[in-house]
Amino acid sequence: MALVLSDRVIENISKQNTPEEFKKHIAKTVGDLSDVDVMFNMVLLAIYIRPEITKGGIIRPTSNVQEDIWQGKAGLVLKCGPNAFEDDGEYNFHGQKANLGDWCVFKVGDAWSVDIKGVPCRLVRDSNIRMKVKDPTIVF
């Protein structure tokens, strides 16, 4: 089943002009996630949706903003499963991990789309997170 969000939800998310504003908006929208159990070694990420208005003042059409939901490669860590980033027989993370509030980069095809409380998200296996970045705007 395809993930469908209303234009209003997309508009609200894309009005956040900086990554910090995006974080605050997502935290307010998603709120308490104690009723969501992320399983095993999965990581729940809110997809970063670039602002509607670029730094150069260009207004992106709604269809372009919506494309971030499908092709966005950066996400904000919302919650990790209990076994995320733990060494096992298959993977050794060498102490690296992603924490709540970190910006991470992943391959879109390695993630599962979900909508959590009106926020487009992805569930990604810990080993499929390829980078952490301080600023998601550098990822295209």
Side-chain angles (χ1 to χ4, degrees):
M1 185 165 116
L3 178 67
V4 178
L5 296 174
S6 72
D7 288 342
R8 185 174 170 192
V9 168
I10 294 166
E11 181 181 330
N12 286 338
I13 293 172
S14 69
K15 294 289 184 203
Q16 311 313 309
N17 292 317
T18 67
E20 282 306 312
E21 288 178 9
F22 183 90
K23 273 187 183 184
K24 288 177 186 174
H25 177 77
I26 295 301
K28 180 180 174 185
T29 304
V30 172
D32 178 27
L33 287 176
S34 62
D35 57 343
V36 175
D37 285 331
V38 176
M39 305 302 284
F40 311 112
N41 60 348
M42 301 301 284
V43 179
L44 180 64
L45 303 169
I47 298 302
Y48 179 65
I49 297 175
R50 295 172 293 157
E52 177 185 34
I53 301 174
T54 68
K55 290 179 183 177
I58 297 170
I59 299 173
R60 298 170 58 214
T62 302
S63 61
N64 187 267
V65 173
Q66 289 174 335
E67 194 62 25
D68 285 350
I69 295 170
W70 309 110
Q71 298 299 325
K73 297 164 188 69
L76 179 67
V77 176
L78 298 179
K79 197 162 187 178
C80 294
N83 299 58
F85 305 103
E86 288 188 7
D87 296 341
D88 58 24
E90 190 174 355
Y91 294 100
N92 185 337
F93 291 96
H94 302 282
Q96 293 181 316
K97 68 181 295 184
N99 298 301
L100 181 68
D102 285 344
W103 294 105
C104 295
V105 179
F106 59 94
K107 179 181 167 190
V108 176
D110 291 337
W112 186 47
S113 298
V114 293
D115 176 15
I116 303 291
K117 299 181 182 179
V119 174
C121 297
R122 295 281 189 278
L123 274 170
V124 183
R125 185 177 176 180
D126 56 4
S127 60
N128 287 331
I129 292 177
R130 303 301 184 196
M131 288 191 290
K132 287 194 322 185
V133 294
K134 292 189 187 283
D135 181 358
T137 65
I138 66 171
V139 179
F140 293 95

